[in-house]
Amino acid sequence: MPRPGSSPPDPSERPATYREVFAVAEFRWLWAALIGSVIGDQLARVALAVLVFDRTGSAGLSALTYALTLLPDVVSGPLLSGLADRFPRRRVMVSCDAARAVLVALMAIPGTPLWILCVLLVAVQLLAAPFQSARTASMASFMTGDSYKAATGVSAITGQAAQLAGFVTGGTVVAALGASQALGLNAASFAVSAVLLQLGIRERPVPGSDDPGGRPGWWGSLSAGARLVWDDRRLRYLTALICVPGFYITVEGLAAPYAAAVGGGPLAVGVLFAANPAGQVVGILLSSRLAPARRLAWIGPLAVGSCVPLIACVAAPGLWATVALWGLSGLSASYLVTAQATFVQDIPDAQRGQVIGLARTALIVSQGIGVLAAGAAADRWQPAMVVAAAGVLGVAFAAGAARGYQRAERAGQPGRPGA
């Protein structure tokens, strides 16, 4: 209650609560669909890795199959994300989930040749980009202001928790039921997600469908989205900040050799893998209590802070000191939720699908390059040195991006309409 004679608190400076987020019925349906599809996705990754290894005995082919669950996003992000701007977004989400349910069901047929499995797997992953773009853009249409940022945080926490649950239960399910049955469960998870989205999300018209000039073609949409980000300094530097994970993601690629270097076994690898995501969950929960303006002001410092702890690895600390450092990195990496949500809200609704796809591709490419470069460097230098070097490079990159974003903010460049 405000003091007598004082002004009432500005609602825009009050952080949205998770209670308010879950009070929105459409978000509850979207959230329920997310849980099932993410767990099913991770279950399928485990099942495919086991299936390929059992048939071929090749660790290389098993790893290649896992890579096929990630690589198509690089292509589909720019090429297919624009579908979320050309068709009703609920229809895009439901169609993608229904198609993935059918494709994965075909993969679950016992005895399917490996080359057909790979083709079907690529097709499944190509549908991920338009689905994610439609999901993110759709959520921004019924969640506004800080409620959207809080909803993004809930989705991030849920996604990470569901991934861990999928990986943990994946091995158990595959061992108990077999790879084909596990893939069948993944197909069912996509089908359930499609039903939930059809029932719970309101159909909205295509953004800009009333424009007499008509919709641009595929190339026009792609080039317009790229120009929008490049010409807007605020969006450009937000994209750079969104790509900072390309530096601190190296800890995942080097978890196994790092654990071996400090005398740890498989359990140590798992603990190191969990350190950064666990830190991010804590960071998201803590930052959700800050006022929106304060959270926005911390984007740059936290982006830099996500890489600073890695530099201390140059001293090759023991396992638990490293876990603490990587956890601190994850704690600061919680800035990513605010950066991504702000980016989405600054894009005109009619272009959100395409631009979200471009930013998602930039993030995936930066992470891929980071892991590959770190892996190559670790063949010549100690893993601790490589992690520290990634930290130094990450601090320099993040500081430059943060400085550019700060200048764009001070210049008062307006956000985009439709947020």
Side-chain angles (χ1 to χ4, degrees), residues 38-39 42-43 45 157-169:
V38 173
I39 291 178
Q42 306 314 310
L43 178 61
R45 286 190 168 114
I157 292 173
T158 303
Q160 289 191 339
Q163 283 186 18
L164 289 174
F167 278 130
V168 170
T169 61

Side-chain angles (χ1 to χ4, degrees), residues 2-3 44 95 105 108-109 132 137 167 195 224 234 244 262 277 285 301 306 329-330 335 360 368 400 404 408 415:
R3 295 188 305 271
S95 299
I109 298 174
Q132 291 295 343
F167 278 130
V195 172
R234 194 165 184 265
V244 170
V262 297
L285 292 173
S306 67
S329 172
Y335 83 91
R360 185 167 180 265

Side-chain angles (χ1 to χ4, degrees), residues 128-158:
F131 176 87
Q132 291 295 343
S133 292
R135 182 188 185 281
T136 303
S138 181
M139 190 168 73
S141 67
F142 61 79
M143 303 291 289
T144 59
D146 198 53
S147 292
Y148 175 75
K149 292 182 173 67
T152 303
V154 171
S155 298
I157 292 173
T158 303

Side-chain angles (χ1 to χ4, degrees), residues 230-247:
W230 184 255
D231 293 342
D232 188 317
R233 288 177 58 202
R234 194 165 184 265
L235 290 177
R236 189 164 72 241
Y237 286 113
L238 274 173
T239 303
L241 288 167
I242 289 171
C243 291
V244 170
F247 295 94

